[in-house]
Amino acid sequence: MNFTNFLTIIFEILEFSYIFHIFVGMKRCFYYIFAIIVTLPLLIACSSKKTEQHKENIVFGINADNYNLERKEVQRGESWSKILGSYGIGTQKVIRLDELTKEICPLRQIRAGSHYTTFTRSDSTAVHLDYLVYEKNLVDYVIFAFVGDSVAVREGQREVDIRRKKSTAVIHSSLWGAIMEADLPYSLAAEMEDIYQWTVDFFGIQAGDQFTVIYDEKFIDTLSVGIDRIWGAKFTHRGKEIYAIPFEQGGKLQYWEADGGSLRKQLLKAPLKFTRISSKFSHARFHPVLKKYRPHHGIDYAAPMGTPVRAVADGVVTKKSYDKAAGNMLKIKHPGNLTSGYLHLRGFAKGIKVGARVTQGQVIGYVGSTGRSTGPHLDFRLWKGSTPINPLKVPQKPSEPISKENAEKFDRVRILVMAELNGEVPDSMKVTNLDNI
């Protein structure tokens, strides 16, 4: 009840009192009115509390008051036919459901370990399944409805709360280690690696390197479900501060250094993630298999079997073969008379063949141990013309910088983002929409 309604009731009481005092006298009328006014708020509070107690229990957009709910986990080897059949859903309804879910959630793609919730009701004859909600992930779900003879499917999403955060962490061993030590979202490490993959040598991180990052974190109730947008970052690497300023140019959001230079460079710093260097470029390395010194004109990245390998730059595949020493290997020709090589692959990505064009960051194969190898790793090589060069010492050419027509707008974004990264600022100075700067 709002304040206007409350006043209306009071005026009605006063109007009634004018008539009432004629029959009972002014003094007794005063006592009655006083009692009503005093008890009215209590009556209103009790009424509101009663209404709250009868508030509908909405789960996945369904009124769950009249249902028994069970949340279960898909077991290995289970199918939707088996699960739905256990609730009396017949073959014809399952076939109809299969047709309805082909585009949004194919029934054959059910994953062991995922969860679903059943909405059942009971009568004197049986237990009836009216709804089953399959949780595709922490946010998205699909409702299978079996009301009467009909079958229906509807997609839904849990309500996600976006919270802006700023976090700083000091690196002692690795970026991932720093993320875990600071109790930050694990997905933040992947986002930071994506932003700085051309600029920061994550295999050469030193103790004492640190970063500050502004980001939106997604929550369902109190559960963090990932990162939404990075609004800016500062990575201090070997004493150098490298800023990441978000800005749209040419219809594409990218991250830029403080001077307007793009963080994107001609080559990725490494052709794969989440690994370590097990052997460096050398003109005389002791070979672990041949047991003698010989040149090793590449970088060995030790990584789990099957780790995706990415093209370090745009180019064309010029060689795809198997070699006794190199195993499964690829060569890609890039602008600037550069060629990259990827050795000991377990296999190649779909569509990779001689003459195929690839883009920077595209998955081209998977880490293996084919050829002359003592364990799963990638031997990555780089040539300038026909001369092998050290991939870790290639001068990096930046992509196109901020254009002159965007310089003023970028400068406004840069000032605000850097101010927030380096201190506390009011909400009015925080960049929240790049279109409205």
Side-chain angles (χ1 to χ4, degrees), residues 43-193:
L43 293 171
I44 293 170
C46 290
S47 175
S48 299
K49 188 174 182 181
K50 187 176 181 180
T51 302
E52 289 178 2
Q53 289 174 348
H54 288 83
K55 187 178 180 181
E56 291 180 342
N57 179 25
I58 304 299
V59 181
F60 294 113
I62 302 168
N63 185 350
D65 282 340
N66 300 320
Y67 289 103
N68 178 44
L69 273 62
E70 285 188 275
R71 187 170 187 264
K72 298 182 178 181
E73 183 176 308
V74 177
Q75 302 301 311
R76 187 176 298 277
E78 278 192 319
S79 66
W80 281 123
S81 296
K82 181 179 179 180
I83 294 172
L84 294 171
S86 67
Y87 289 94
I89 303 298
T91 303
Q92 291 303 314
K93 285 189 176 181
V94 174
I95 292 173
R96 177 59 179 152
L97 185 67
D98 186 41
E99 294 173 353
L100 294 172
T101 58
K102 280 182 179 178
E103 299 299 323
I104 60 174
C105 181
L107 295 188
R108 293 174 180 81
Q109 293 183 7
I110 183 174
R111 294 182 292 107
S114 54
H115 292 88
Y116 63 93
T117 301
T118 58
F119 292 69
T120 58
R121 55 183 173 79
S122 302
D123 58 24
S124 58
T125 60
V127 174
H128 304 278
L129 176 69
D130 280 359
Y131 303 99
L132 185 148
V133 181
Y134 176 57
E135 300 173 34
K136 296 170 66 175
N137 50 53
L138 291 171
V139 177
D140 303 299
Y141 59 85
V142 181
I143 300 175
F144 305 154
F146 308 95
V147 180
D149 294 328
S150 66
V151 177
V153 174
R154 178 170 64 84
E155 291 183 282
Q157 286 189 325
R158 287 189 173 96
E159 186 175 343
V160 177
D161 179 29
I162 304 295
R163 304 176 193 173
R164 188 183 182 98
K165 294 191 172 184
K166 183 175 80 169
S167 299
T168 298
V170 177
I171 298 172
H172 301 292
S173 58
S174 68
L175 175 64
W176 281 84
I179 293 287
M180 289 188 289
E181 288 172 11
D183 197 26
L184 301 178
Y186 292 166
S187 55
L188 192 59
E191 295 286 347
M192 292 288 285
E193 286 194 338

Side-chain angles (χ1 to χ4, degrees), residues 251-271:
K252 187 176 182 180
L253 175 65
Q254 296 184 44
Y255 291 87
W256 311 77
E257 298 191 57
D259 62 0
S262 175
L263 283 174
R264 299 176 68 93
K265 300 295 189 291
Q266 181 186 15
L267 300 175
L268 297 180
K269 278 289 186 180

Side-chain angles (χ1 to χ4, degrees), residues 281-301:
F281 186 95
S282 173
H283 294 295
R285 183 194 71 159
F286 186 76
H287 198 284
V289 176
L290 300 177
K291 305 299 182 183
K292 61 181 180 181
Y293 287 92
R294 59 180 300 172
H296 180 254
H297 292 153
I299 302 294
D300 284 350
Y301 293 97

